[in-house]
Amino acid sequence: MSRSTSTFLRTGALTVVAAAALSGVALHAAPFQSPWLAQSSPAMSGPSKGMGMGMAMAKGSFRKAEAPVTGGFTISEEGGKRVLTLSSDFKTNDMAPDLKVIFSPSATPLAMTKAPGFPLKPGSYTVLASLKSSKGAQSYVIPASIDLKAQKSVLIWCQKFNATMAWSPLKP
């Protein structure tokens, strides 16, 4: 394969990854088949480094608090930004209003609360963002102002009723 073809293919792959990251569309890894690649090229084989898709920095599976829940999350670095991504099988109570994705500095954030609502004390959490949907894959950029080293769990929380739907400890 010529050097210009290899450069063209890498540039095209970077453009697709960058466009997906900006639009919020999730890309799924699949083998790349091209009629131009009759043989493997060292520049194109193996994991791609420097393309913005890093390994997971943390992950977890949600546990039920007030509502049944499925799915989990990963925190990874994409394009120089830290991103929390909920899994495609994520689902929580679709009737709960004002749901937020929040961080807690406690690995057991519900230990000091009581069922059924598992209310949180003001100042005991950091709001990342409003939940985009009660189900499905979705991503949230984690601002630099949130110190991930100080966070020990991720929660799905109803701000209106101060009720925790689900939680998960952060695991490296």
Side-chain angles (χ1 to χ4, degrees):
M1 172 172 34
S2 74
R3 176 173 241 176
S4 62
T5 301
S6 176
T7 302
F8 172 76
L9 291 174
R10 276 191 302 236
T11 303
L14 283 173
T15 302
V16 170
V17 170
L22 290 173
S23 70
V25 174
L27 290 176
H28 300 283
F32 179 71
Q33 299 296 323
S34 169
W36 300 299
L37 297 177
Q39 58 193 6
S40 177
S41 166
M44 295 295 290
S45 63
S48 42
K49 294 184 180 183
M51 292 183 70
M53 301 296 239
M55 292 180 42
M57 298 165 57
K59 60 185 175 182
S61 294
F62 286 110
R63 302 171 185 186
K64 177 185 175 187
E66 181 175 299
V69 64
T70 59
F73 68 92
T74 59
I75 296 175
S76 58
E77 191 165 323
E78 299 177 16
K81 295 183 180 188
R82 300 171 305 166
V83 178
L84 182 142
T85 302
L86 300 182
S87 61
S88 60
D89 63 339
F90 170 77
K91 185 171 181 355
T92 191
N93 183 349
D94 60 354
M95 300 300 289
D98 202 21
L99 292 178
K100 308 285 184 196
V101 180
I102 66 173
F103 288 107
S104 171
S106 172
T108 55
L110 304 184
M112 302 304 277
T113 65
K114 294 186 180 188
F118 299 101
L120 301 176
K121 291 182 181 177
S124 68
Y125 55 87
T126 301
V127 175
L128 172 61
S130 293
L131 190 68
K132 295 175 184 176
S133 175
S134 63
K135 62 183 176 182
Q138 48 204 291
S139 296
Y140 303 88
V141 173
I142 303 168
S145 60
I146 295 179
D147 180 6
L148 279 180
K149 291 178 183 171
Q151 308 306 319
K152 304 288 186 238
S153 59
V154 175
L155 299 88
I156 306 300
W157 177 66
C158 171
Q159 184 172 11
K160 183 174 183 175
F161 296 112
N162 190 9
T164 305
M165 301 291 112
W167 74 283
S168 174
L170 283 170
K171 297 178 184 175

